[in-house]
């Protein structure tokens, strides 16, 4: 799942950094929804996989799940903001927000994957 998220992030970053004259807003929107779905699935997988050790507040399991919940909420707010309106007209603002979200999402998913693997080996 983390690999699928990474592929979506890489593809969207490439589109955002493309020097083409007209951004493909529809394709970017499609990728935004694919990323949201992939993060939801990843969050569900982690929650289901880590649930047995997640009961204690403050445990590494609970902290990881809380971070994923926070990422999910942030991503939902991002999607809500950029799913309405004319993103082509606000291209520079959109690109900046998208790159920031993609970088943050990628970093957290990589860290969560490493941490989940460590916790599952216990």
């Amino acid at each position: 799942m983390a690999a699928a998220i990474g592929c979506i992030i890489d593809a969207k970053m490439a589109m955002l950094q493309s020097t083409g004259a007209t951004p493909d807003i529809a394709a970017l929107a499609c990728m935004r929804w694919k990323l949201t779905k992939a993060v939801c699935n990843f969050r569900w997988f982690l929650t289901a996989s880590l649930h047995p050790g997640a009961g204690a507040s403050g445990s590494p399991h609970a902290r990881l799940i809380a971070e994923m919940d926070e990422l999910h909420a942030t991503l939902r707010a991002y999607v809500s903001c950029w799913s309405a309106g004319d993103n082509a007209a606000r291209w520079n603002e959109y690109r900046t927000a998208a790159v920031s979200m993609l970088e943050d999402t990628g970093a957290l998913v990589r860290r969560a994957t490493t941490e989940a693997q460590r916790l599952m080996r216990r």
Side-chain angles (χ1 to χ4, degrees), residues 4-18 24-36 75 78-79 82-83 87 91 94-95 97-103:
I5 292 170
C7 288
I8 295 167
I9 289 172
D10 291 346
K12 187 162 181 169
M13 283 290 236
M15 288 181 74
L16 290 166
Q17 295 167 351
S18 171
D24 188 346
I25 298 300
L28 288 166
C30 181
M31 294 178 96
R32 184 169 58 241
W33 287 107
K34 283 181 183 179
L35 179 62
T36 301
L75 187 56
Y78 165 82
V79 167
W82 294 105
S83 292
N87 293 340
W91 177 246
Y94 172 77
R95 183 179 5 198
V99 167
S100 177
M101 174 54 71
L102 294 170
E103 288 173 347

Side-chain angles (χ1 to χ4, degrees), residues 6-7 15 19 31 33 41 45-48 53-54 56 58 64 70 74 84 88-89 105 114 116 118 120-122:
C7 288
M15 288 181 74
T19 57
M31 294 178 96
W33 287 107
N41 288 338
F45 172 77
L46 286 180
T47 301
L64 182 57
E70 186 176 317
T74 301
T105 299
T114 300
R118 185 183 70 77
M120 286 181 208
R121 282 193 292 261
R122 286 183 169 184

Side-chain angles (χ1 to χ4, degrees), residues 33-118:
W33 287 107
K34 283 181 183 179
L35 179 62
T36 301
K37 182 178 179 180
V39 168
C40 285
N41 288 338
F42 184 67
R43 176 180 166 249
W44 175 84
F45 172 77
L46 286 180
T47 301
S49 298
L50 299 176
H51 181 70
S57 179
S59 73
H61 295 78
R63 284 193 301 272
L64 182 57
I65 290 169
E67 286 182 31
M68 289 306 300
D69 288 345
E70 186 176 317
L71 170 63
H72 185 249
T74 301
L75 187 56
R76 276 191 354 242
Y78 165 82
V79 167
S80 178
C81 174
W82 294 105
S83 292
D86 184 2
N87 293 340
R90 303 183 313 169
W91 177 246
N92 288 331
E93 183 183 0
Y94 172 77
R95 183 179 5 198
T96 299
V99 167
S100 177
M101 174 54 71
L102 294 170
E103 288 173 347
D104 292 349
T105 299
L108 184 77
V109 167
R110 286 187 299 276
R111 197 192 71 63
T113 300
T114 300
E115 181 67 8
Q117 289 171 345
R118 185 183 70 77

